[in-house]
Amino acid sequence: TTNIVLNWASRTESHRYDAQLSPITVRSKDGFAFNLDVSQIIHIGAPEAPKVISRVGSVQNLVDHVLQPIVGNYFRNSAQEYTVLDFLSARSERQVEATSHIRRAISVAAQKGR
């Protein structure tokens, strides 16, 4: 399998799995609403690919029904804990936290048989 880049942004990759994704609108602790462009690289390892696809049906379903809610909810919930300046100025910390959260959420979803 290959790495797949997904963009929650106005741009779309040639595979078009992210065609329905858009910037994530979040609200900070201090009440400001702003849009986040997010990119996520996914990789489904060859040994896991048949199991993943049999559970969700297709890569598009994985994006639409598993990753989109997990990623969107993480950033919406996370932004509420910070002022807009703190959230944006600590971008590398948010990326580390997002990676950890998304991995855990996908693991839980896989165990539930989603």
Side-chain angles (χ1 to χ4, degrees):
T1 61
T2 185
N3 288 339
I4 300 170
V5 177
L6 301 172
N7 295 301
W8 281 257
S10 57
R11 66 186 180 281
T12 301
E13 298 291 323
S14 61
H15 53 62
R16 310 248 337 126
Y17 293 130
D18 56 359
Q20 298 300 314
L21 302 178
S22 58
I24 301 168
T25 302
V26 300
R27 185 171 303 277
S28 65
K29 182 167 105 175
D30 49 351
F32 290 98
F34 57 100
N35 290 332
L36 288 177
D37 285 356
V38 175
S39 291
Q40 177 74 45
I41 299 171
I42 64 168
H43 177 83
I44 304 168
E48 298 297 316
K51 181 171 40 172
V52 170
I53 298 306
S54 72
R55 284 189 176 162
V56 296
S58 67
V59 173
Q60 190 65 61
N61 284 345
L62 176 67
V63 172
D64 295 342
H65 302 292
V66 179
L67 295 173
Q68 194 283 331
I70 289 171
V71 172
N73 288 336
Y74 168 77
F75 283 104
R76 280 188 289 278
N77 292 338
S78 178
Q80 293 176 357
E81 298 176 19
Y82 300 94
T83 66
V84 67
L85 292 176
D86 288 342
F87 185 85
L88 295 174
S89 65
R91 180 179 176 186
S92 61
E93 292 173 26
R94 299 297 82 77
Q95 288 173 328
V96 170
E97 292 169 0
T99 299
S100 176
H101 173 81
I102 292 164
R103 281 190 179 140
R104 279 193 314 272
I106 289 172
S107 176
V108 167
Q111 290 173 1
K112 289 181 179 179
R114 273 186 120 168

